[in-house]
Structures are given as C-alpha cells and as structure tokens.
Amino acid sequence: MSARKLHLNLFVYPGGHHEAAWRYHGTDPSRILDIGFYQDLARRAEQATLDAVFFADGPSLADNVRYASRFRLEPFTWLSAIAAATERIGLIATASTTYTEPYNLARLFASLDHLSRGRAGWNIVTTGAPQAAGNFGLDAHPVHAERYDRAREFVEVVTQLWDSWEDEALVVDQKSGLFADTDRIHEINHTGRHLKVRGPLNLPRSPQGRPVYVQAGSSQDGRSFAAAHAEAVFTAHQTLRSGQEFYADLKARATALGRNPDQVLVLPGISPFIGSTEAEARALHEEFNDLTQPEYSLQLLHRLLGLRLSADELDGPVDRRLIETGGERGNGSRFQLVLDIIDREQPTVRQLLHRLAGARGHRVVTGTPEQVADQIQEWFEQGAADGFNIMPPWLPGGFDLFADQVVPILQARGLFRTTYDGTTLREHYGLPRPTAVPTSTKEYA
C-alpha cells in the first residue's frame, strides 16, 4: 500500500488573501481582471503538481469593497479559460444551492467536466451573505436551517441529473446509425419540498461520472451535510486541537453513515508568510498589517460578530459582553472561531483585526520554508488534516515562495507527489469514479 500523501489546492482570491494585498508593492492590482494572470497562476500550480485551483464565489457585492478587492469573478467562465491553458490540475468552483437552480447548475458543472476532461469540482455552499436575497427577488435571506434543508435536496437532485445518463447511453455507432441508447437515459421526476425537476440532463455523463463534491462550512448543520455528501471539506481552524476535533468528528460521522472516511478529505485553509528567517517572515506579516485600513477591518468585525466599534477603540480590549451569541449569526462556524480567538488570546481590537486581516479567520503561519513545512506536516500526521487550501497573502509572489521553497521540502520528505499519477481531480484526490445510481422517485415531505 502506498504511503498517504498530502493534498494541496491553490485558493485563488483577487490580489491575495490578506485584506491589504492590493496595496502591497509586490502586487500588481492592474492585473486582477486579466485572465492571463490567473492562467499563469494555474500553470504555476500545475508545475508544482498541486491537486486543484479553487475559486470562491458569492451572488452579491461585499459591503466593504470600498477598501479591498472584494468583488467576485464568475468561476465557470474563469475556470473554462484556465482549463484551456492547463492539462492536469483540478478546477473547483463555488456555486450556491440557495441562489441557483439544480438543472442549470448540473449543466454548468457537467460542461466544465467535459471541457476539462474530468477536472471539475463543486464547492457546495448555501450562501451566508444576507444581502444576496435582494438580487433574487426575495424579501429576506432564508435562515440557516432552511438553507441546509434545501441544500440536501438540491444535491440529491443534481446527483440524479448527473446519473440520468448511464455510462453506456452514448453509443455513437456510425455503422448502425445508433447515436444514443435512450433506454439508458432516464427522467428523474423529482418532487420535493423545495424542488420539482423532471430531467433527464441534456448532455451525457461526464468523464468523472460526477464532479467532485466539495463542501465549506463547519457548523453542526455543515458537519452533518459534509458527512453525508462531501468528498473534500474546506474548513478553518486556528489551533491543532481544534483541527483534530473537527477531523475526528467528521470522519466518525461519515463512518456512521456507512461511508469510507478516507474518501472524505479534510482540507483546512493556511495562509503562509515566508521569509529566509523567522524574523524576516514576521516583519513581512507586520508590513502587510501596517497597510490595513481600520474602516475595512471594523466592517469585517461587524459582519462576523455584530459589533459596531470605532477607530477610537482600536487599542482597547474586545468586550466579550457586547457580543450576542444567539440568533442566526451564532449558528455560523466562523462566528465561533472568532469567539475562540477572543477567549483564548484576549486581544485588543487592533490585534483581533490584524488576526482576521490575513485570511478572514483561516490560519496564518509565519516562518521559514522549513517551519511552514513543519506545521503542515504536524497537522497532516497528527490527525488534523488530509491536506490544505493554500491561501497566499498576495499574488503571485506569495504563491511563488510557497511553490518554490515549501513544496520541494514536502516532496523531499515523501509527503507530496512529484508527478501526477492521473489526469482527473478524482484521481488526484484518490477518489473512485462513482457508478450511476438508479433514478429515484423519492418524494420529499
């Protein structure tokens, strides 16, 4: 049996993941709408044999774009262009189960999987931004539990659509004149609480059978959903202990549902500041934090915790008593993560803002390439991660440092591949190609 290997994705964010990345002298903000920039990044990640590039998305404009590059690039358009410029690296796009329809989404992902010859992955989100509701004719954003209830049904419908063509349905026999075996193409006739879809899909089953199912969210609802459906889970943790707890809990939940826990990959986010010495790395991190703008950071804190603070309060303590832990916001995993930072570290407001500036609650590490590799190895070997979403503080330089200096260390230690063994994202992740599931006529109450 081959030794277990790390999985690494490049999480692409316009400019980089630090909120002040666009202001850093090593960033060229004039290129954040240039597809050539992202194609170059993806080719660089492919040279480093990373598993995938990942694009986040959201169906509304962030309320703090005044101070940072917070717009969203539509991922299917962008990843289609990246697919044409690469050969092996996986292509993961975020799409919402709250603000899309399953038939349209199934077509988009199946098309991307065909276009890329089997490299597509779907990051399944329910959308946490309440301002999205007004863009889709809704008076209010559905509550957390309702969004997850729809998401469960949505994923089952999309799965049925992707399986509505059996593998043998596409015949293309020029001699007999038979193009498709219609006995192997099935309507799904789904009627549920949230959705009603007839099917079948209007294109054949894709190279991977189904794109890889990825999920982001660590709330109790998110964990239950991931255990049932996800094949890779994007998550955020600040401490090894927190990562281990999540990892063990998710694997146990998947096992209890009859799934192979090795086929549910846990991939926390990590944002590395790398220097030739630890002091150099810390100085680089401080240089970025010095570029932050309090107006932006305070808006982020309000969105995460509901706290409205002013610049005059930056050097005072975070008053835990002012944070309302109930209600809809309290259901979010990122809310609890920030509370844990406050309780554990007792930061000033400014210190908390700097903690969040690096990667919006994901773990920021500073150090030499060896120290960054050590931390990745520790989490991988101590039951906290199957790999990581790499979130460079700035682009392209932050990723270049990781690819040039950290990846070779992980490879030399036998932790990460030096060449691709397969061509699809499922093969990179060590996941089987699923067989088509018989069409369900299950009715949802």
Side-chain angles (χ1 to χ4, degrees):
M1 180 180 293
S2 61
R4 177 170 167 257
K5 290 289 194 296
L6 276 163
H7 299 286
L8 300 175
N9 304 319
L10 170 58
F11 182 171
V12 179
Y13 205 82
H17 284 273
H18 193 282
E19 68 182 49
W22 68 279
R23 301 185 67 198
Y24 180 62
H25 61 80
T27 302
D28 182 1
S30 69
R31 296 199 69 197
I32 58 178
L33 289 172
D34 175 4
I35 186 58
F37 175 67
Y38 298 93
Q39 289 173 323
D40 290 344
L41 279 171
R43 282 189 287 256
R44 185 74 185 87
E46 189 170 71
Q47 290 170 0
T49 67
L50 266 62
D51 293 75
V53 291
F54 163 50
F55 274 69
D57 191 28
S60 61
L61 179 65
D63 55 12
N64 45 16
V65 72
R66 179 182 179 91
Y67 301 107
S69 54
R70 293 280 287 144
F71 58 81
R72 297 294 195 184
L73 298 164
E74 192 285 306
F76 290 99
T77 305
W78 237 243
L79 287 173
S80 294
I82 288 172
T86 56
E87 296 180 355
R88 295 289 189 92
I89 196 161
L91 309 166
I92 301 175
T94 295
S96 172
T97 59
T98 304
Y99 294 109
T100 56
E101 291 298 322
Y103 198 90
N104 288 340
L105 185 140
R107 291 186 67 208
L108 286 167
F109 271 109
S111 297
L112 181 61
D113 207 45
H114 279 292
L115 174 71
S116 64
R117 298 182 179 88
R119 295 188 278 145
W122 171 25
N123 180 39
I124 306 163
V125 300
T126 66
T127 302
Q131 62 266 38
N135 296 334
F136 295 87
L138 299 182
D139 294 328
H141 187 49
V143 299
H144 189 271
E146 186 75 5
R147 297 198 308 274
Y148 270 97
D149 189 53
R150 175 183 165 93
R152 284 184 282 271
E153 185 179 345
F154 193 109
V155 171
E156 291 196 22
V157 172
V158 169
T159 300
Q160 291 174 30
L161 287 169
W162 284 335
D163 289 355
S164 63
W165 286 61
E166 298 179 29
D167 284 319
E168 298 80 10
L170 189 62
V171 179
V172 196
D173 186 340
Q174 291 177 311
K175 185 175 181 180
S176 70
L178 181 64
F179 184 78
D181 182 353
T182 52
D183 290 337
R184 296 180 180 273
I185 303 172
H186 311 284
E187 293 183 358
I188 70 169
N189 294 314
H190 175 92
T191 299
R193 179 169 178 239
H194 302 278
L195 304 164
K196 185 175 182 179
V197 181
R198 185 186 65 186
L201 199 61
N202 59 355
L203 73 165
R205 203 155 188 253
S206 72
Q208 295 188 105
R210 304 170 208 142
V212 174
Y213 292 0
V214 183
Q215 185 263 358
S218 303
S219 66
Q220 292 304 310
D221 281 335
R223 294 182 189 210
S224 296
F225 183 88
H229 300 288
E231 296 169 297
V233 180
F234 296 163
T235 184
H237 298 283
Q238 290 289 325
T239 66
L240 176 64
R241 182 176 178 180
S242 172
Q244 290 170 323
E245 183 278 326
F246 177 84
Y247 187 95
D249 180 58
L250 188 63
K251 301 281 185 171
R253 290 179 189 232
T255 301
L257 293 173
R259 299 186 64 197
N260 181 347
D262 294 336
Q263 294 175 10
V264 184
L265 305 176
V266 177
L267 307 172
I270 184 172
S271 187
F273 285 87
I274 301 167
S276 59
T277 65
E278 184 175 352
E280 182 181 297
R282 292 188 181 280
L284 178 65
H285 190 191
E286 291 173 6
E287 183 178 357
F288 272 79
N289 285 341
D290 288 343
L291 294 173
T292 59
Q293 299 178 51
E295 294 88 347
Y296 174 95
S297 304
L298 290 168
Q299 286 181 19
L300 175 64
L301 194 64
H302 175 253
R303 180 171 62 82
L304 289 173
L305 297 182
L307 279 178
R308 286 197 179 277
L309 301 174
S310 71
D312 294 334
E313 300 171 273
L314 289 175
D315 294 312
V318 179
D319 191 340
R320 181 70 159 72
R321 297 168 299 177
L322 298 177
I323 302 172
E324 174 58 54
T325 58
E328 180 69 7
R329 183 182 282 109
N331 289 324
S333 56
R334 200 59 55 89
F335 176 88
Q336 188 58 54
L337 182 148
V338 179
L339 281 190
D340 289 346
I341 293 174
I342 295 170
D343 292 340
R344 185 175 62 251
E345 301 178 14
Q346 301 291 307
T348 66
V349 174
R350 189 189 304 275
Q351 289 168 337
L352 179 60
L353 296 182
H354 286 172
R355 291 283 274 107
L356 299 177
R360 306 171 306 284
H362 288 276
R363 188 161 175 261
V364 175
V365 297
T366 58
T368 65
E370 291 79 9
Q371 288 173 323
V372 173
D374 288 345
Q375 293 196 45
I376 288 174
Q377 182 172 358
E378 180 184 29
W379 281 50
F380 179 62
E381 294 182 340
Q382 296 299 316
D386 294 304
F388 291 87
N389 264 336
I390 307 305
M391 305 169 63
W394 81 102
L395 293 170
F399 179 65
D400 287 338
L401 284 172
F402 183 85
D404 290 339
Q405 300 184 26
V406 179
V407 169
I409 296 172
L410 298 173
Q411 291 171 330
R413 295 178 183 180
L415 298 172
F416 189 60
R417 71 171 69 86
T418 56
T419 60
Y420 289 110
D421 294 324
T423 60
T424 71
L425 180 56
R426 286 190 172 278
E427 289 172 322
H428 301 342
Y429 278 165
L431 299 171
R433 185 183 188 277
T435 56
V437 177
T439 301
S440 171
T441 56
K442 175 181 178 181
E443 292 194 4
Y444 280 69

